């Protein structure tokens, strides 16, 4: 896989390049120190995968990723940042992965394994095919776009899908769903996953419980104490 590394710090680019050299199947074809240079190199070299720093002078990584998504075909993008507060904004751009600095070999390998593809054609299909959630109504198989989802909640032996336009039950477990959509689904409780791009705030109930505000959703599911810190982190401004 042909790789472009984009980071305004030369040492960070060098470190990532050395780590990638230890993993078979990845070739660093170029490095860029800013967003404009990255876009030009992508146009010239059409890399399969771009490691993209978020905070850079000029165009930041989020705007570069949005521009790259319009390419035909687009490269896969893995965000690399030292600032975890960018996580929610990064999820909204739907990257193939997200790494925190300093990057270690193990975390890099795990991220690449989750990418799970080896050709640009497969990357293109992943980026362009809108993910869907499937469920059955009687004998009929139906599905919704993942982007229509509000939240998923364990309900006895089933999982309840609450989405724009209604509710449904699926036999797919929360664990399986989160493993399938690790970038899009966020756990807020042992029995609840939400669509990351809908998270917009936290409120308190009369009895002191923390509730999650979801864009366009009238229901505010409960946040467990265990997951509260993570949700607050996602809501921190850039």
């Amino acid at each position: 896989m042909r790789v472009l590394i984009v980071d305004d710090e030369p040492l960070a680019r060098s470190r990532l390049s050395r780590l990638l050299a230890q993993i078979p199947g990845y070739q660093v074809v170029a490095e860029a120190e800013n967003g404009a240079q990255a876009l030009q190199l992508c146009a010239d070299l059409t890399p399969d995968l771009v490691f993209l720093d978020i905070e850079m002078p000029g165009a930041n990584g989020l705007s570069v990723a949005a521009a790259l998504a319009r390419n035909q075909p687009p490269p896969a993008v893995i965000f690399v940042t030292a600032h975890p507060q960018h996580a929610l904004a990064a999820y909204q751009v739907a990257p193939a992965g997200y790494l925190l600095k300093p990057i270690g070999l193990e975390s890099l390998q795990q991220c690449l394994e989750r990418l799970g593809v080896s050709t640009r054609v497969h990357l293109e299909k992943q980026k362009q095919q809108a993910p869907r959630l499937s469920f059955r109504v009687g004998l009929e198989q139906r599905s919704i776009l993942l982007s229509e989802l509000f939240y998923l909640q364990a309900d006895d032996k089933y999982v309840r899908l609450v989405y724009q336009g209604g509710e449904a039950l699926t036999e797919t477990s929360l664990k399986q769903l989160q493993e399938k959509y690790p970038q899009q689904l966020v756990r807020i409780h042992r029995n609840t996953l939400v669509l990351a791009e809908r998270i917009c705030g936290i409120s308190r109930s009369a009895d002191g419980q923390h509730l999650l505000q979801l864009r366009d959703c009238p229901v505010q599911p409960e946040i467990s104490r265990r997951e509260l810190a993570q949700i607050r982190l996602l809501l921190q401004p850039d």
Side-chain angles (χ1 to χ4, degrees), residues 76-92:
V77 171
I78 293 178
F79 282 122
V80 181
T81 181
H83 305 283
Q85 67 267 26
H86 291 305
L88 180 57
Y91 281 132
Q92 294 172 341

Side-chain angles (χ1 to χ4, degrees), residues 173-199:
S173 70
L174 290 180
K175 180 181 179 181
Q176 291 171 321
L177 289 163
Q178 191 171 29
E179 288 176 349
K180 186 173 183 180
Y181 303 108
Q183 306 300 325
Q184 294 96 334
L185 298 179
V186 174
R187 186 174 293 275
I188 66 164
H189 195 282
R190 62 180 175 81
N191 67 359
T192 308
L193 300 175
V194 303
L195 189 65
E197 66 185 49
R198 290 194 181 273
I199 296 174

